[in-house]
Amino acid sequence: MAALCRVRHRWKRTNCIQLLTRNLTGTFDYDLVVIGGGSGGLACSKEAAQLGQKVAVLDYVEPSVKGTKWGIGGTCVNVGCIPKKLMHQAALLGTALKDAQKYGWQITGPISHDWSTMAEAVQNHVRSLNWGHLIMSLPLVWQIMLTAKNIVIATGGRPKYPTHIPGAVEHGITSDDIFWLKESPGKTLVVGASYVALECAGFLTGIGLETTVMVRSIPLRGFDQQMAGLVTDYMEAYGTKFSWRSVPKSVDKLSSGVLQVTWTEEQTGKDQRDTFDSVLWAVGRAPETKTLGLEKVGVKLNKESGKILVAADESTSVPNIYAFGDIGEGRPELTPTAIKAGKLLARRLAGQTNELMNYDNVATTVFTPLEYGCVGLSEEEAESRHGKDSIEVYHAFYKPLEFTVAERDASQCYIKVVCKRGGDQRILGLHFTGPNAGEVTQGFAMGFQCGATLTHLKETVGIHPTCAEELTKVNVSKRSGLDATVTGC
């Protein structure tokens, strides 16, 4: 059985982790204590409990600067994947309503979106997930100090504020707040170009809000940059404004209640100003390690990132203390990897397996207006690892059938397959922009676990007519210089 411990504000005033020894009896209160009730922590605790371990989960959410708070389940459930995907769906439905008229649907009167209706529905679904986690877990335990044979840290991270910018904290919000707003954010400036920034800007634009993205350097850092360019090109055509090579200087609240943002254009060196109803900071995340007292027990951190240094088996520098998920140095900040890593760790600690988490070739999708799914290496990474002359890149521009009757521009619908050059041409990376990118990429991701090659891809019979089948037909290499536009049906 696992127990859920809600220690509330006490975490802020006590050292959460202390090393104790039980030399006389060798007994502990629990076999495993998991610190963090997010997707990874809950997966680890539930797996351990099913294997007969006595488990406790410690969960506490520090309210955001704006006072936003939520229940158990962590970032993904409350302020990440789940509400993000639902609001993305709301935006897609808006586009579908426009397409519908081309398909013969008679829609009379203006189409408008009501934020409060959407927000309430999304928040109610999130609360149902909170409740589901609670009733599956577990009796509540109220204790100040617990002892355990093993301790697992899975506290994840929280959005950063640029505290050096005057007014940023006082007047800005983050992804910890946007999904729990009761009223529309109105005209919004999104600062940052991460997937969080672009996803939020995308659904805000899609539901009809004037939205600007302020980009200091490049979009989607760490992703394939050709694909990132296609994503932002589509967003600009979709209606999202971009302020490129710009750095915010200050945020001031005017007497009218609107926010005046001042920024510098790096190319010209000139300051610019505009007013917004909301400023959303999406400039990175910080690991939740500061309040745990890790340095007092010897757990080593990366001094720059603040993340915990972990080995391949998720162990830290202190025996019997483990860490995984976003808080681990070098680990992908993705919910599914944390869930799988947590389950595998629980099985190892229970003596059921020696299997380690494989962090290579993990698929992911950016849920922007034109979705981008990928698995494996970017073209830049493949060149860096193998050399430009040792890779072959096959690509295709295609038009989804759904776009034809609706007369939608498909200029950014693109496929890229990065392969080793020569031999069986093992696939190193696969990239896809288009409708339902997550569903498409998930299917092909399994092939990476089986050593998929270009031959395997070409020998696969596609399902017609789908966007996914275009991947099975790629045959034009970048090196050839031939036109990669797909013709015919």
Side-chain angles (χ1 to χ4, degrees):
M1 176 179 289
L4 175 66
C5 304
R6 306 305 298 273
V7 293
R8 301 293 175 187
H9 60 280
R10 298 172 189 164
W11 282 33
K12 297 294 289 184
R13 298 201 297 265
T14 62
N15 294 329
C16 193
I17 300 178
Q18 297 182 23
L19 288 184
L20 302 175
T21 59
R22 295 286 184 94
N23 293 327
L24 295 178
T25 64
T27 61
F28 297 89
D29 297 324
Y30 292 92
D31 297 309
L32 178 66
V33 166
V34 178
I35 304 175
S39 299
L42 290 174
C44 180
S45 63
K46 291 175 184 177
E47 186 74 13
Q50 289 175 359
L51 295 171
Q53 301 285 289
K54 186 180 180 183
V55 186
V57 180
L58 308 183
D59 183 61
Y60 169 72
V61 178
E62 179 74 17
S64 74
V65 172
K66 297 303 176 185
T68 308
K69 53 186 177 181
W70 51 86
I72 193 169
T75 296
C76 177
V77 167
N78 294 283
V79 289
C81 319
I82 299 302
K84 176 272 303 290
K85 181 71 181 293
L86 291 173
M87 292 191 178
H88 171 62
Q89 176 64 13
L92 293 181
L93 289 172
T95 301
L97 283 170
K98 297 173 185 176
D99 289 352
Q101 298 175 71
K102 295 282 188 178
Y103 279 90
W105 287 95
Q106 303 300 306
I107 300 174
T108 58
I111 298 171
S112 62
H113 180 270
D114 181 66
W115 174 276
S116 60
T117 299
M118 174 190 70
E120 183 179 6
V122 170
Q123 291 160 15
N124 284 341
H125 177 67
V126 169
R127 290 189 184 101
S128 74
L129 297 177
N130 297 149
W131 177 246
H133 282 310
L134 279 175
I135 61 174
M136 285 182 68
S137 303
L138 331 167
L140 290 172
V141 178
W142 297 86
Q143 285 180 252
I144 292 291
M145 183 177 293
L146 305 175
T147 62
K149 180 180 178 181
N150 293 300
I151 295 174
V152 169
I153 307 170
T155 49
R158 298 289 290 272
K160 294 179 183 177
Y161 272 96
T163 54
H164 64 285
I165 297 176
V169 178
E170 296 91 329
H171 306 307
I173 61 174
T174 69
S175 57
D176 275 359
D177 307 297
I178 186 72
F179 304 110
W180 290 91
L181 296 178
K182 296 186 182 301
E183 297 181 356
S184 170
K187 179 183 177 183
T188 302
L189 172 67
V190 179
V191 183
S194 63
Y195 71 89
V196 174
L198 298 187
E199 288 176 339
C200 289
F203 72 68
L204 291 173
T205 302
I207 62 174
L209 300 180
E210 185 177 345
T211 308
T212 301
V213 178
M214 186 171 290
V215 184
R216 178 181 59 85
S217 53
I218 61 173
L220 296 178
R221 184 178 299 278
F223 288 85
D224 186 289
Q225 283 303 291
Q226 180 189 9
M227 307 304 292
L230 294 171
V231 167
T232 54
D233 286 350
Y234 186 92
M235 288 182 68
E236 288 189 287
Y238 186 71
T240 305
K241 298 177 182 178
F242 281 80
S243 180
W244 297 101
R245 307 294 296 179
S246 297
V247 179
K249 291 182 66 177
S250 64
V251 182
D252 298 292
K253 192 167 189 176
L254 304 182
S255 58
S256 61
V258 300
L259 304 176
Q260 179 177 271
V261 180
T262 303
W263 69 91
T264 302
E265 291 182 342
E266 288 193 340
Q267 191 169 6
T268 63
K270 294 181 178 180
D271 285 356
Q272 302 291 341
R273 289 182 179 84
D274 198 356
T275 56
F276 302 88
D277 298 309
S278 299
V279 176
L280 172 64
W281 300 103
V283 292
R285 296 177 66 83
E288 286 280 81
T289 54
K290 291 183 179 179
T291 61
L292 297 179
L294 297 176
E295 67 284 351
K296 295 183 179 181
V297 296
V299 174
K300 293 183 179 179
L301 308 178
N302 179 308
K303 293 182 179 179
E304 291 186 6
S305 68
K307 293 189 174 186
I308 299 173
L309 299 177
V310 290
D313 63 353
E314 324 301 347
S315 61
T316 70
S317 55
V318 176
N320 302 99
I321 298 181
Y322 300 83
F324 69 92
D326 293 10
I327 204 166
E329 180 64 32
R331 300 303 193 224
E333 296 184 1
L334 296 169
T335 297
T337 55
I339 291 173
K340 187 169 179 61
K343 289 182 176 180
L344 286 172
L345 176 57
R347 293 171 195 164
R348 291 196 302 273
L349 293 178
Q352 299 294 311
T353 184
N354 292 318
E355 183 183 356
L356 300 176
M357 176 64 188
N358 178 8
Y359 289 100
D360 293 331
N361 296 323
V362 174
T364 191
T365 292
V366 183
F367 290 100
T368 38
L370 185 70
E371 296 177 5
Y372 165 38
C374 59
V375 58
L377 302 182
S378 66
E379 186 173 351
E380 294 91 343
E381 288 174 319
E383 283 188 11
S384 175
R385 292 191 191 186
H386 300 282
K388 189 168 185 176
D389 291 336
S390 297
I391 65 170
E392 198 75 77
V393 180
Y394 295 88
H395 65 150
F397 287 93
Y398 72 100
K399 187 162 190 173
L401 185 62
E402 302 92 320
F403 281 27
T404 56
V405 172
E407 298 179 344
R408 288 173 59 184
D409 181 23
S411 302
Q412 290 83 33
C413 292
Y414 180 71
I415 290 164
K416 178 192 290 190
V417 181
V418 184
C419 303
K420 282 279 288 180
R421 193 179 184 192
D424 59 4
Q425 292 193 282
R426 180 169 59 89
I427 301 175
L428 303 173
L430 184 148
H431 304 264
F432 175 96
T433 51
N436 306 304
E439 313 298 338
V440 172
T441 309
Q442 182 70 83
F444 286 100
M446 187 177 72
F448 277 70
Q449 305 304 318
C450 306
T453 66
L454 186 68
T455 300
H456 289 141
L457 195 61
K458 289 184 175 181
E459 288 179 348
T460 300
V461 178
I463 300 172
H464 186 70
T466 64
C467 295
E469 74 170 316
E470 300 300 338
L471 277 158
T472 69
K473 299 190 293 184
V474 292
N475 56 53
V476 176
S477 70
K478 280 190 173 183
R479 196 184 305 273
S480 73
L482 298 175
D483 183 5
T485 304
V486 174
T487 57
C489 67

